[in-house]
Each structure stands twice: as structure tokens, then as C-alpha cells.
Amino acid sequence: MKKLSLLTSALMVAAAVSFTVPAMAQVTLTDADRARIEERKSRKTQLPGERVGRGVTKAFELYNEEKVDEALKVLLEIRGGNDFDNAFLARFIGNLYAQKDPKQAIKYLEQATKPDVLSFADQAGSLKLVADLQSMENMHRDAIKNYESWLRFTGENDADVYLRIANAYYQLQDYQKVLVPIDNAIRYAREPNKQHYMLKMGALYESKNYPKTVETVETMVQLFPEERQFWVYLGNFYTLVENYEKSLSALQIAYNNGYLESESELKLIGQMYANNNIPYKAATLYEKYLKSGKIKKDRTMLTAIASNFQAAREFGKAAQYYGELAALTNEADAYRRQGFAYMSIQRYNDAIKAFEASLARESSNAGRVHMSMVDAYLSQGKLREAFASLQQAKRDSATARQANSYENYIREKARVKGITL
């Protein structure tokens, strides 16, 4: 039931995505190619000469006794009488070296395959083995050449070989050239393979082709809806194309299924709530995981919680978290913002205390803070205190004009009430 719901959600997120793989370069056989391959397959099996045959038999017996060095010594002392003998011998030597000395193995396997006299199966197997060894030795361009030789020799569209070619190009950081073979791997795979799509995603991302990266990951979540990391990738990659609404949709599916685990993932969904103008959800999610310990309590997170609660007009909660921020950082601005939040819910005495704390720590915004105190005192009818704060605000050039405009109002208000300023 869970799988069905995930698949339905995936289709909702990426309904427009098609599974059709575009036509790509692949092994295309002519009639002549097919005839060549069939001729090669049906070629009469050759046997090595007596001297080579005896040596290989002895070496094989030593190999079965796990005496690889002794087996190699036997083979290296033999000299073949013709091209087939030499290729047959080189293949055995290469296979033994593959276990202990890849570079030597490559040398002998290339000698074995060069004349193309081995049986069809041995020639094909040797071409693939030498390519695998070259990949292991970071000889990626040579590996690609031999994998492609294998494809032409066999005429097969093998998904695994296409994957290996794509991976070799990826290791070379030639990301554009990854795409043709990896699409062929996807096309010819018997069933969808996560590794194929991961490699394609990586190549597109490294190429900075973000729209195509998103399309690929949309397909991935449809094919593998229970793969939690793919939903996280999708949410992240939507942000690269600034589609914050779809990012939030993908992350909500992931969150509802328990797929968001790390601090960065939880922060990301909170950020997407904020980016989609849902600040209350952002603030409460951050608050939940701050309390549980999954999100670290620091300046950035306390600011995010407080500012999102403020945007959601939850001013009491905003004041609470600005207070926690102030306690953590001792920053004047945190106290100032706490004061504004208190003003919004008419907690004027608390606002004044916060403003005073701000003034005690910084003077750069002093005029504005004093003007906020003027408003707080006036709201309480405390004209003397408001007038005193006004005089402080007049000393700051940034607020002097505003303070002067207030002065006559306060003086008149005091005169009517018979209060001496």
C-alpha cells in the first residue's frame, strides 16, 4: 500500500515525464557485419600445438594448486610455433597475471587479441577483460577503445558494457560523452537499473544541465519510488531551476514517508516552506527538530525560527526566539527585533526592556531604537518617558527630523493633561 501511494505521489510530481529514451548511437549492424560475426562464430576451432598444449595443461594443474607464480614460470618459458599458439599462450598468461599484475596482464591480453585468431568466445572475453583491467588502472581512454572493440566484434548491445564506457568517460570528466553510452545502457537493460540513472544524473549535473538533471531525477522517483535519496535529490535539483513549488512537493512526499533524516534535509524542507510563503510551517518544523536535537541550535536557526514566526504574525513566539537569539549572541539587533515583536502584541514594558538591552550593546541604531521607545511609552500614556526618549532620538541625525515632528505633539498632549515635561 505504501509503494502504491509513493508511486502515485511520484506521478503527481512529474506527470509530464515520458519514459521514452531518445535514439542514441549504438551498435548498428549491416548485413556484412552480421555475416562477418556469424563467420567468426562458426570458424573451425583451432587447437594449440603439442608443446603449447602440454605447457598449458601443466600450468593449469599448478594454478589449481594455487601455485600461480609456478604456473606463470612454465608458460613464460614456452615459445609458440604460429600466431594461434602465441595468442593462445598470451591469453593464458594474461589471465594469470590479471590476479597479481594488471599492467602485465594488459600487455599479454593485447598480444592475444591483436591477430584475432582466438575462438570467438575467447577473443570476446579477452577484449572485455583487458578493458576491465585498463579501467582498474585508470587507463580509461584505452578501456573505452577496447569496450568499443568488443561491441563491434560481438555485435551485441550489452547494457553492462555501455555502462562501463559511460563510467570511463565520467572518470575522465568528459561528462557530455557519458550521455550516449549511458542512454544505451538504460535502453538495453533488462530492467531499470539505479546505477544507470545515478550516472546519468551525475553527468548532467556536472555539465550544469540542470533542466535535464531534473527530468532524469523525475524519472528516477517514478521508477524507484521507495529510494529515499532520490526524493531528496529531486527536491534539491528543483531549487537549481528555481521551481520552489515542485521542490516543496517532492520534499513533502519524502518527509511524509520518513525519508528526510539529516539536519540539512530537514533544513531544506523548512527553507522551501519559507520560499513558498508558508512561514508558520517553516517555523514550527524548525522548532520541532530544534527541540528534538536533530537541528543544531545556533544563530542561523534561531534567526530563521524567529523571523518565520514573525512573518506568520505569531509575534509572541517570534519574541521568544529573538530572546533566545539575544541570549546566545548578545547582539543588539536581536534585542531590537524582540522589542518590535513585543510591540506587535502590545507588551510595551517587555518591549522597552528589550530596547534598553539593545541600546546597552550598540549605538549605531540608537536613534531608531529610541523612536521605538517613544512609541511604546506613548502607547502607555507615559509622556515624560516618551519625551525623554525623544530627546535622545533628536541627537541621531538619522532620526532627528522624525523626532522633531513628534515633539510638538507630545508637548501639546502634556499641556492638555497638565503634565510638566
Side-chain angles (χ1 to χ4, degrees):
M1 194 67 182
K2 181 179 180 183
K3 185 172 183 179
L4 178 61
S5 113
L6 280 167
L7 182 55
T8 304
S9 299
L11 292 170
M12 290 172 62
V13 169
V17 176
S18 168
F19 283 107
T20 302
V21 179
M24 289 288 182
Q26 59 202 49
V27 173
T28 304
L29 300 179
T30 64
D31 289 341
D33 292 328
R34 292 190 185 92
R36 173 186 58 77
I37 292 168
E38 287 307 311
E39 184 276 327
R40 195 64 184 74
K41 284 181 177 179
S42 60
R43 188 181 295 177
K44 185 178 178 180
T45 302
Q46 283 186 263
L47 295 175
E50 184 179 352
R51 180 172 49 183
V52 172
R54 282 200 311 268
V56 168
T57 300
K58 183 177 180 182
F60 192 71
E61 290 171 354
L62 290 167
Y63 171 76
N64 283 335
E65 295 172 11
E66 299 184 0
K67 297 177 179 179
V68 176
D69 289 339
E70 291 85 344
L72 277 168
K73 187 173 184 294
V74 169
L75 293 173
L76 290 168
E77 289 175 352
I78 302 172
R79 294 293 176 269
N82 55 41
D83 284 348
F84 178 77
D85 278 359
N86 288 326
F88 187 83
L89 193 58
R91 174 176 169 268
F92 266 86
I93 294 171
N95 284 343
L96 291 180
Y97 267 128
Q99 302 175 49
K100 55 182 293 180
D101 190 338
K103 284 189 167 57
Q104 282 289 88
I106 290 166
K107 170 187 166 183
Y108 281 97
L109 288 167
E110 287 188 325
Q111 289 176 16
T113 56
K114 187 175 181 180
D116 189 14
V117 293
L118 295 171
S119 71
F120 186 87
D122 286 349
Q123 181 77 4
S126 297
L127 285 170
K128 187 182 281 187
L129 177 57
V130 74
D132 289 343
L133 292 169
Q134 286 166 334
S135 285
M136 287 169 53
E137 292 297 300
N138 295 319
M139 300 165 64
H140 299 298
R141 294 199 186 280
D142 293 323
I144 290 166
K145 179 182 174 183
N146 279 300
Y147 284 132
E148 289 177 343
S149 293
W150 183 91
L151 290 168
R152 286 191 298 272
F153 179 79
T154 62
E156 296 180 24
N157 283 304
D158 185 277
D160 184 61
V161 172
Y162 281 125
L163 172 64
R164 295 179 192 205
I165 293 171
N167 187 61
Y169 277 124
Y170 193 92
Q171 297 304 317
L172 291 166
Q173 299 182 13
D174 196 342
Y175 302 116
Q176 285 297 324
K177 288 187 178 178
V178 171
L179 300 177
V180 169
I182 200 58
D183 273 329
N184 282 327
I186 291 169
R187 176 188 291 275
Y188 292 109
R190 292 183 180 179
E191 58 185 30
N193 186 309
K194 296 175 189 177
Q195 190 178 2
H196 297 168
Y197 287 96
M198 288 284 287
L199 189 59
K200 182 174 182 179
M201 177 193 76
L204 288 166
Y205 176 77
E206 295 293 348
S207 302
K208 301 191 187 309
N209 189 342
Y210 300 138
K212 287 293 184 183
T213 305
V214 168
E215 287 181 19
T216 299
V217 184
E218 285 174 335
T219 302
M220 289 163 67
V221 298
Q222 292 181 64
L223 290 171
F224 313 105
E226 293 186 330
E227 190 67 33
R228 78 160 206 93
Q229 192 60 48
F230 293 172
W231 290 97
V232 179
Y233 290 151
L234 186 59
N236 271 295
F237 290 145
Y238 274 134
T239 67
L240 297 178
V241 294
E242 299 183 3
N243 194 332
Y244 301 121
E245 185 176 350
K246 280 192 172 182
S247 176
L248 178 57
S249 295
L251 292 169
Q252 280 180 313
I253 292 168
Y255 180 75
N256 290 339
N257 284 282
Y259 291 168
L260 301 187
E261 299 173 351
S262 70
E263 181 180 35
S264 61
E265 291 164 359
L266 294 167
K267 284 182 177 180
L268 178 61
I269 188 173
Q271 184 60 52
M272 287 307 102
Y273 278 126
N275 287 355
N276 282 277
N277 297 314
I278 314 174
Y280 184 76
K281 289 283 286 184
T284 53
L285 183 138
Y286 287 149
E287 182 181 45
K288 175 181 177 179
Y289 291 105
L290 187 76
K291 288 180 177 178
S292 74
K294 283 196 171 184
I295 289 180
K296 182 182 176 183
K297 182 178 182 178
D298 58 18
R299 182 184 186 282
T300 301
M301 188 46 52
L302 289 173
T303 301
I305 297 174
S307 60
N308 276 291
F309 271 131
Q310 183 149 338
R313 303 187 67 78
E314 292 286 336
F315 298 114
K317 295 289 282 185
Q320 173 191 333
Y321 281 98
Y322 279 129
E324 289 194 30
L325 176 64
L328 180 71
T329 65
N330 201 36
E331 291 178 354
D333 189 63
Y335 285 107
R336 183 176 67 85
R337 291 175 182 272
Q338 185 187 38
F340 287 143
Y342 279 135
M343 288 285 288
S344 298
I345 51 176
Q346 300 179 13
R347 288 175 58 176
Y348 301 119
N349 286 333
D350 290 327
I352 290 165
K353 288 178 183 176
F355 290 140
E356 287 174 342
S358 177
L359 288 170
R361 286 159 179 79
E362 185 184 15
S363 59
S364 60
N365 266 324
R368 291 187 176 87
V369 175
H370 280 298
M371 285 304 303
S372 297
M373 293 177 71
V374 169
D375 288 337
Y377 283 128
L378 285 176
S379 296
Q380 294 177 300
K382 296 179 178 180
L383 299 179
R384 288 195 183 91
E385 292 84 346
F387 190 76
S389 292
L390 192 71
Q391 302 312 304
Q392 296 296 323
K394 286 169 65 176
R395 296 178 181 178
D396 189 329
S397 60
T399 54
R401 179 176 295 182
Q402 183 185 9
N404 284 326
S405 68
Y406 266 67
E407 186 164 3
N408 288 337
Y409 169 78
I410 293 174
R411 286 186 181 278
E412 179 60 21
K413 201 79 161 152
R415 185 190 66 78
V416 169
K417 291 192 172 185
I419 296 172
T420 304
L421 299 176

